[in-house]
Amino acid sequence: MDSESKLLEESSASSSSSSSGFDRDRHVTFLELMYQLLPSQYQTQEINHLTLAYFVISSLDLLGAMDRVDKDIVASWVLSFQALPTKKVEKTNGEFYGFCGSRSSQFPPDEDGDLIHNGSHLASTYCALAILKVIGYDFSNIDSESIAISMRNLQQSDGSFVPVHIGAEADLRFVYCAAAICNMLENWSGMDRQKSKTYILNCQSYDGGFGLTPGSESHGGGTYCAIASLRLMGFIEDDLLSRDNSSSIINAPLLLEWCLQKQAADGGFQGRPNKPADTCYAFWIGSTLRILGGFDLINKKALKGFLLTCQFKYGGFSKFPRDFPDLYHTYYGFTAFSLLEEPNINSLFVELGITEASAWRI
């Protein structure tokens, strides 16, 4: 038996002890290790380095362990990924001046100081700004105008967004990134909200959920992106179900029914019908329900029980029960426990995916 199989077997055998409760201290230790040095298995995800950092740093913030982070070093590192225009006219030259996701996607300027190869990305820009929010960086020091003005270059005629100026898929993920970026920058010049609202509404399916694109199957992640974007843009109110739904731009009761149906027999949430429950959907579906005002309608005890079967005995959370942890599912495991109001976890601002304190920090 190889060492990895033996470790998994030991983890499975001890699942009853490791799943007895949320083990904050072990999770903090796990995150400290990830903050210092990522395991070699993450080399293939180097292109998403900023996103991985977002999972680690925002997780530490949720667990109230930001004393483990050198905020000045983090700020300097994050800001080093920003693509800056050299001339004012460049903001409308069709490119996007946000943040690159890694060193491998960042190219130096030429001998004249011009940025010929610009690899900045909407999702990386969202992660960069979220990290800066979490560490309390002064946003007045950010060239927010360049980000906002150039982001309009990514919006398509139907209101959707592509993530990079050279062209890519357009779907709700990048509408959400654009809305979150504008919200954090407090600058909505980066998108035509009315066009994006129309695109989002065209993504609501017959069953109440939202697909990532118009006409596609309803999906937990796409549904969150739709509802969180509408909320950030000011088109729907918080706790929507407690208000008069006759004037709502979405079919909230049908959406509520779709979300509640996603809680599986094992207590976890699935992203689509007939799929296994997965740790991350406790956030995607749970946050949608929180915005709607329907989170209390779920079986919270069953959800907690499912999540604890995904808690690894050395810290972190896995995608499925009794599997190995990864940073993506670890972070969304923490956000799920925040939604469940687990003691010693900070409150979550679900629309931005960071803590309440970070979201409202001046």
Side-chain angles (χ1 to χ4, degrees), residues 117-136:
H117 301 290
N118 179 0
S120 58
H121 192 283
L122 263 184
S124 299
T125 302
Y126 158 73
C127 290
L129 295 179
I131 292 172
L132 294 174
K133 269 279 192 183
V134 166
I135 64 174

Side-chain angles (χ1 to χ4, degrees), residues 8 12-13 16 18 44 54 64 82 86 103 136 152 176 192 212 216 219 226 232 247 268 305 314 324 351-352:
L8 183 57
S12 179
S16 59
S18 64
T44 57
Y54 159 71
Q82 187 173 7
T86 56
R103 292 288 176 240
R152 287 296 286 262
Y176 168 75
D192 185 323
L212 285 170
S216 60
H219 183 277
L232 289 170
S247 60
Y314 299 121
F324 286 106
E351 292 90 341
L352 288 179

Side-chain angles (χ1 to χ4, degrees), residues 24-138:
R24 178 190 176 276
D25 291 342
R26 291 198 183 216
H27 291 311
V28 171
T29 300
F30 172 82
L31 291 168
E32 281 188 279
L33 293 171
M34 298 299 106
Y35 174 75
Q36 296 295 335
L37 182 67
L38 289 176
S40 60
Q41 288 85 345
Y42 284 99
Q43 287 181 341
T44 57
Q45 296 187 42
E46 197 279 332
I47 196 73
N48 299 316
H49 203 165
L50 257 180
T51 301
L52 296 173
Y54 159 71
F55 291 144
V56 173
I57 294 170
S58 200
S59 290
L60 287 168
D61 189 30
L62 275 169
L63 298 183
M66 286 300 290
D67 58 313
R68 272 68 168 185
V69 173
D70 188 318
K71 296 179 181 179
D72 290 336
I73 289 177
V74 169
S76 177
W77 181 76
V78 171
L79 291 169
S80 72
F81 289 103
Q82 187 173 7
L84 296 169
T86 56
K87 308 179 187 68
K88 186 173 182 179
V89 68
E90 289 185 359
K91 298 173 187 177
T92 56
N93 68 354
E95 297 194 22
F96 172 51
Y97 292 96
F99 288 78
C100 300
S102 67
R103 292 288 176 240
S104 61
S105 62
Q106 185 179 42
F107 296 88
D110 63 14
E111 60 274 9
D112 297 321
D114 294 324
L115 190 63
I116 298 177
H117 301 290
N118 179 0
S120 58
H121 192 283
L122 263 184
S124 299
T125 302
Y126 158 73
C127 290
L129 295 179
I131 292 172
L132 294 174
K133 269 279 192 183
V134 166
I135 64 174
Y137 186 76
D138 185 353

